[in-house]
């Protein structure tokens, strides 16, 4: 299980959106990145604001590039704001350090990629993504 | 029919990928942007190179922002290369002026968004996208 | 053989430099990127000019992101200069489309990463890298 | 001893990685820059996250360009965050102001370059690099 397939990425997105509807969340947007931080698939629900790709991407991209999920990045940003600001400098301003950036790990802990979820509160975004990742048999590191 | 729905964007992507398989093309990547040039949905087939989001996006983004499909942009680039280079300056280098950037129009000609297809030759990319757009009842301006 | 190890990346670099000395080339600089286009290892020989990391990286990065080795990119740049210029826009100006950007493939053709070699003529750069890639049992797509 | 050689840069990297294994640190990534702030050599251990080149580079680059090691930059960031933010403006966002950016000095105090280490805590990164720099007979200013 070294790589994510498009089929699996698509399922993670679909299940995140379903979970969002079950939790009665605002319209969600969900991206799946591969282990190199490159976009595999994305969907933005009707009614979401137009800039949601960039936010979903920023959550997932930071997780992959740093090997740290959104909640750990947020902790670091709260402890040492200038560090996360500097990290954003070296990654071209592409990192959004809050929950909703979830590392996808296999059963051995290897990182297969990341999911980025945005649209509701950061914690709800993360919860919806977690349920979807676990539904496809992967470990959600959020 | 003023707006694209996620459902329709998803169908355009799925049908483009099916068309690519029927035409025996290389793995394709397909993005759908809304009328504001913002990402609605994207999928990259397994086996495609990692940078395909950026290329698909560049084709569709230029189409929406300029109101000109990829083939018209290519003609302009061949006639007046410095113009398309300057266009890229004002749009932050986000425009790829070749076929495969297709405007989505309704029956009255209004632009609803654009599709960007990449992976095979530019002409094959455009042909696969055209078939998908027409299959959902829209006009493909390529 | 799904991934490159640091050990193998290091060997490719060392053998490229040895090959450069055998061919009596100017001082070489060699980078190895993984399949996501991220830097695994780099060395710049004494006497090389200071900007060689960026050039080696640009050759290898373009190869990975586009799935096209340097010689194919050069051909495209000669046929359709505005296309390669636009590609550089979407990849942040990080692409150097000349020989010396070599895709690393396994025996089944899967891309494991890329090598970027710079310092002498582009063709000599590519030849030195090719010998090194083949010495570690991989296929050099240059 | 006015300049670093590739041989010495390579030894610093190798000894930093060995030190990391002795200290049981997470996988490390190590860059060596010359006195002009340009990349001489880099290695990323297997298992490190893909964005580690940028972070290692940011630590070492700031040290060379400012003539201040990472700990002094961190102190400045904590005392006067807007100053380090402004520094990042003029250096294109390339500076990571935390420990792990180590100036390489000769016995007379002249700066020969810098090492950047990342992967574990900033303090552990700095300790591993310090041991390596001293092992090659240079002074580590961290």
């Amino acid at each position: 299980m070294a790589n994510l397939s498009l089929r699996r990425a698509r399922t993670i997105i679909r299940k995140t959106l379903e979970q969002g509807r079950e939790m009665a969340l605002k319209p969600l947007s969900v991206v799946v990145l591969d282990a190199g931080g490159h976009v595999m698939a994305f969907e933005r629900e009707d009614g979401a604001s137009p800039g949601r790709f960039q936010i979903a991407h920023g959550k997932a991209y930071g997780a992959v590039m740093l090997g740290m999920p959104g909640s750990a990045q947020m902790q670091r940003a709260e402890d040492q704001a200038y560090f996360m600001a500097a990290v954003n400098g070296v990654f071209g301003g592409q990192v959004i350090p809050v929950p909703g950036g979830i590392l996808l790990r296999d059963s051995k802990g290897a990182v297969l990629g990341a999911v980025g979820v945005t649209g509701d509160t950061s914690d709800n975004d993360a919860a919806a993504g977690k349920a979807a990742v676990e539904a496809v048999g992967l470990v959600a590191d959020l």
Side-chain angles (χ1 to χ4, degrees), chain A:
Chain A
M1 197 171 25
N3 291 302
L4 284 176
S5 61
L6 172 57
R7 175 184 295 272
R8 191 172 267 190
R10 209 182 253 167
T11 305
I12 291 171
I13 291 175
R14 227 46 75 70
K15 288 192 177 293
T16 304
L17 299 183
E18 283 171 24
Q19 186 66 20
R21 284 191 292 271
E22 273 183 38
M23 294 169 68
L25 305 185
K26 292 181 191 164
L28 297 182
S29 301
V30 189
V31 74
V32 177
L33 306 187
D34 64 22
H38 302 295
V39 188
M40 296 183 66
F42 171 77
E43 289 190 359
R44 186 181 94 206
E45 280 193 310
D46 297 337
S49 62
R52 292 288 162 178
F53 173 79
Q54 286 91 330
I55 297 179
H57 183 270
K59 291 185 178 188
Y61 184 72
V64 169
M65 295 307 278
L66 299 166
M68 285 170 63
S71 57
Q73 290 177 59
M74 184 171 74
Q75 188 58 54
R76 188 74 185 260
E78 299 201 341
D79 292 344
Q80 205 178 8
Y82 60 83
F83 175 76
M84 286 308 299
V87 161
N88 242 329
V90 297
F91 292 116
Q94 299 291 308
V95 175
I96 304 271
V98 297
I102 302 171
L103 285 172
L104 295 167
R105 295 187 186 273
D106 66 15
S107 56
K108 295 178 181 167
V111 173
L112 303 184
V115 183
V117 186
T118 183
D120 204 278
T121 66
S122 295
D123 288 342
N124 282 341
D125 295 341
K130 177 180 193 287
V133 172
E134 293 173 351
V136 300
L138 293 174
V139 176
D141 180 0
L142 64 160

